[in-house]
Amino acid sequence: MTTLHLAVVTAGVSQPSSTRMLSDRLTAATVSALRAADPSLEVVTEVVEVRDVAHDLADNALTGFASPELQVRLDAVSEADAVIAVTPIYAASYSGLFKLLVDVLPKESLRDVPVLLGATGGTARHSLAVDHALRPLFAHLGALVAPTAVFAATEDWGGDSAGLLGERIERAGSSFARLVSGSPRERAADPFADVVPFDQLLARSGR
Amino acid sequence: MQFGIFTVGDVTTDPTTGRTPSEHERIRATVAIAKKAEEVGLDVFATGQHHNPPFVAPANPPVLLASIAAQTERILLSTSTTLITTTDPVRIAEDYAMLQHLSNGRVDLMMGRGNTGPVYPWFGKDIREGISLAVENYALLHRLWREEVVDWQGNHRTPLQGFTSTPRPLDGIPPFVWHGSIRSPEIAEQAAYYGDGFFSNHIFWPASHTRQMVQLYRRRFEHYGHGSADQAIVGLGGQVFIRRNSQDAVREFRPYFDNAPVYGHGPSLEEFTRQTPLTVGSPQEVIERTLSFREYAGDYQRQLWLMDHAGLPLGTVLEQLDLLGEEVVPVLRKEFAALKPAHVPDAPTHAGLLAAREQTAGTTDTRTLEEAS
């Protein structure tokens, strides 16, 4: 039986949070699509509520190291086989807290990692923020960003369009599942276990 | 085991009075602090090297240390750190060999890369080349102190043909070198390769990280045949504020902590003391915390503390040194000595290296005589 580690980063701040609701639904859709494709697959999901470590993130930005509480969450994201990242849209972009988390992730930790993007906002007029703000950020990180992302406006949770949000989530989840079940990521070398021998460091310099 | 202090020489406004010392005051205070360190029985005084405000005292470490050498008798003078990346290794070789002569061998050095981005371009270097600069420049420095005439060519400075660094190291023995690094495994590897010391300034970092770096250095020290892993030469940074009563220490230090240039306005004092080696409390608490470093760093040779930053007034720093020298270090000396196995060496000193060489030479002479007879 294979195990897949899925990290879910969710950056809503209210309780209950529509960002968290969207995260949970995207997670459920992804997991069920993965299990449908491979019933023997075990999916371990770790949810990172950015709000819980908001102060720790600011501290890390200032001191350069993570508190134990934050470190556990950074490890979950940087060691995941796939990541779902969902943020509220503030002022035409991802939230500041969401970006703080991205800023303190270890370098290269999302390279070649499949990522499903989601965002929430007041009205559908903010939906392009996913493509003009979130997508370039994850392109910079070298992530394998799923082509289908989900933006949920407040009105999507009720009224005539409510059913449509569910369909979009299902579609995003199953498309993401196909991306995830491609080749698993290469693990980065442990710099403490695999040290570059000094003669190689020296050879790169003069004599 | 050596105990001492290291300074970053920052000019910082005292947050409790709003008073900012002048550069002149801060520089004179640094000399007073070094003299006090000797007076209270500490073994080492080390100064940082910076080339930007608010760090004024250590822009010229060899000048500062030469002045201190002239006003002290016994204390070992060191750096924390010497910027091996942006300082010409030829200057380092000559300045510190000179300091060896002036101080009668009371010198060692700690190499570091520095952490302020613009310092690299100010000195014509590229921060992205940091590791390469540290590796190449130190390789040259190592030769300049050991070879009379050096021919050399590298990537980062003009080549040398038939160059002799002067003065030659005192008694032909180069200053002992430590390599300081917080997060680069390459530097632990470099220290291990040469059999030099490794210094982990873990004052801003969690213990788990320090453990990884020190273990890597020890493992590679053994790999390169300098001795067993537990014989490698390790130094640790630390940071304390001491009052006889723990609550008084916390109350007095908190405003300095909250406004400190490096970590101020970030984590709380309580979080920071939990997550890093910072200890604010009674002499007994400082003793216990310091002894606990051994649990993850092994038996180590040098403990330095940061005592004089964040705007603490000179009077307070001198009181801190009294407490450190009278109530903390004597106990730590005894406790660490009792714990240390016999095969673990002390940190090398000029006197020790000289004695070892004379002993070796003596053995050779005896053998020659025996062979002759």
Side-chain angles (χ1 to χ4, degrees):
Chain A
M1 189 172 66
T2 342
T3 305
L4 185 127
H5 290 269
L6 176 65
V8 182
V9 175
T10 177
V13 288
S14 57
Q15 291 283 4
S17 142
S18 59
T19 301
R20 177 62 192 264
M21 280 163 61
L22 178 60
S23 305
D24 289 347
R25 304 235 0 229
L26 286 170
T27 306
T30 302
V31 172
S32 82
L34 283 167
R35 298 291 295 277
D38 178 3
S40 74
L41 183 71
E42 190 196 0
V43 183
V44 178
T45 303
E46 294 202 55
V47 179
V48 175
E49 272 281 5
V50 180
R51 188 189 206 288
D52 293 347
V53 284
H55 282 267
D56 306 66
L57 283 167
D59 291 346
N60 189 345
L62 292 173
T63 62
F65 68 85
S67 67
E69 295 76 15
L70 176 57
Q71 192 61 53
V72 172
R73 290 161 171 90
L74 295 181
D75 290 346
V77 176
S78 56
E79 290 165 14
D81 299 299
V83 173
I84 296 176
V86 188
T87 174
I89 299 299
Y90 297 157
S93 187
Y94 35 75
S95 79
L97 279 180
F98 179 83
K99 180 60 160 45
L100 260 181
L101 180 95
V102 172
D103 286 349
V104 304
L105 279 175
K107 264 188 189 155
E108 299 289 307
S109 58
L110 289 184
R111 183 165 297 284
D112 297 335
V113 177
V115 173
L116 172 60
L117 300 175
T120 56
T123 74
R125 282 185 289 278
H126 300 290
S127 60
L128 274 177
V130 172
D131 292 304
H132 70 60
L134 274 168
R135 213 172 272 286
L137 173 62
F138 284 86
H140 168 81
L141 299 172
L144 303 174
V145 186
T148 306
V150 175
F151 179 88
T154 308
E155 64 178 12
D156 286 327
W157 300 100
D160 295 342
S161 54
L164 297 176
L165 175 61
E167 280 176 31
R168 282 174 12 234
I169 288 170
E170 291 304 319
R171 203 182 316 137
S174 66
S175 141
F176 186 52
R178 281 194 290 279
L179 185 63
V180 170
S181 53
S183 57
R185 73 185 291 196
E186 295 265 322
R187 292 283 161 197
D190 176 355
F192 292 97
D194 309 319
V195 63
V196 180
F198 192 74
D199 51 5
Q200 283 178 35
L201 291 174
L202 202 54
R204 295 173 195 166
S205 298
R207 291 164 300 284
Chain B
M1 179 101 172
Q2 298 170 337
F3 299 92
I5 55 172
F6 61 135
T7 180
V8 290
D10 57 320
V11 170
T12 303
T13 304
D14 182 333
T16 64
T17 60
R19 192 177 173 284
T20 310
S22 69
E23 290 187 345
H24 181 69
E25 254 182 285
R26 184 65 173 102
I27 290 165
R28 296 307 311 173
T30 304
V31 175
I33 288 165
K35 289 164 72 176
K36 181 74 174 181
E38 171 163 287
E39 185 194 313
V40 302
L42 298 181
D43 307 303
V44 184
F45 172 84
T47 174
Q49 178 184 356
H50 287 276
H51 298 279
N52 49 307
F55 307 104
V56 296
N60 302 282
V63 178
L64 173 66
L65 295 179
S67 171
I68 294 170
Q71 300 177 61
T72 52
E73 296 289 327
R74 191 189 49 77
I75 198 162
L76 189 57
L77 306 168
S78 188
T79 57
S80 57
T81 61
T82 291
L83 302 182
I84 185 67
T85 46
T86 50
T87 314
D88 184 356
V90 171
R91 284 254 46 86
I92 297 176
E94 297 192 335
D95 284 348
Y96 289 97
M98 183 73 175
L99 185 61
Q100 265 195 318
H101 287 276
L102 291 172
S103 66
N104 295 315
R106 288 187 285 136
V107 184
D108 64 29
L109 279 93
M110 193 199 304
M111 299 299 159
R113 278 173 303 151
N115 53 13
T116 319
V119 170
Y120 284 81
W122 285 334
F123 288 86
K125 306 296 182 197
D126 182 343
I127 194 167
R128 292 167 299 179
E129 297 286 321
I131 294 282
S132 165
L133 282 159
V135 168
E136 177 176 309
N137 285 350
Y138 183 65
L140 172 57
L141 174 62
H142 197 263
R143 285 188 57 196
L144 290 170
W145 275 338
R146 286 165 177 81
E147 298 171 33
E148 194 82 23
V149 181
V150 171
D151 295 339
W152 178 88
Q153 190 165 357
N155 299 319
H156 298 300
R157 95 180 288 292
T158 198
L160 298 169
Q161 274 297 321
F163 181 78
T164 298
S165 167
T166 59
R168 303 303 302 149
L170 178 65
D171 304 315
I173 297 171
F176 183 70
V177 168
W178 305 73
H179 298 265
S181 178
I182 295 175
R183 64 187 104 187
S184 304
E186 293 94 336
I187 300 301
E189 170 73 4
Q190 180 186 32
Y193 174 83
Y194 288 103
D196 291 342
F198 179 69
F199 190 90
S200 176
N201 182 13
H202 66 343
I203 62 176
F204 305 134
W205 281 73
S208 55
H209 187 85
T210 305
R211 180 205 312 267
Q212 259 185 326
M213 287 290 278
V214 171
Q215 279 178 353
L216 170 63
Y217 160 66
R218 288 189 181 282
R219 192 172 80 236
R220 299 297 288 175
F221 182 92
E222 181 168 307
H223 168 84
Y224 285 115
H226 300 296
S228 60
D230 63 356
Q231 290 174 318
I233 308 295
V234 173
L236 295 179
Q239 188 188 2
V240 293
F241 189 85
I242 322 164
R243 288 295 179 201
R244 293 223 159 72
N245 181 317
S246 189
Q247 285 87 341
D248 292 342
V250 171
R251 192 179 320 118
E252 187 177 345
F253 189 63
R254 189 183 300 280
Y256 297 96
F257 176 88
D258 286 346
N259 295 286
V262 178
Y263 43 68
H265 311 286
S268 68
L269 178 59
E270 285 70 18
E271 286 166 332
F272 205 73
T273 45
R274 183 165 51 89
Q275 292 167 18
T276 76
L278 170 66
T279 310
V280 182
S282 66
Q284 190 53 37
E285 285 171 295
V286 171
I287 289 164
E288 281 165 20
R289 192 78 188 277
T290 308
L291 282 168
S292 77
F293 297 166
R294 187 180 160 277
E295 288 161 21
Y296 57 80
D299 289 294
Y300 64 108
Q301 283 77 6
R302 174 176 288 186
Q303 173 67 53
L304 299 183
W305 288 284
L306 176 64
M307 305 294 291
D308 70 331
H309 76 142
L312 287 165
L314 177 61
T316 307
V317 175
L318 298 181
E319 285 167 20
Q320 289 294 304
L321 291 175
D322 275 328
L323 285 165
L324 192 64
E326 285 164 16
E327 304 201 13
V328 174
V329 167
V331 181
L332 285 177
R333 265 191 217 291
K334 223 172 74 195
E335 297 275 335
F336 274 114
L339 290 163
K340 188 181 76 123
H343 69 282
V344 173
D346 290 324
T349 59
H350 186 82
L353 292 168
L354 185 62
R357 193 183 63 187
E358 277 167 1
Q359 201 180 6
T360 318
T363 327
T364 317
D365 288 350
T366 320
R367 201 176 302 132
T368 315
L369 284 174
E370 279 165 2
E371 279 165 12
S373 59

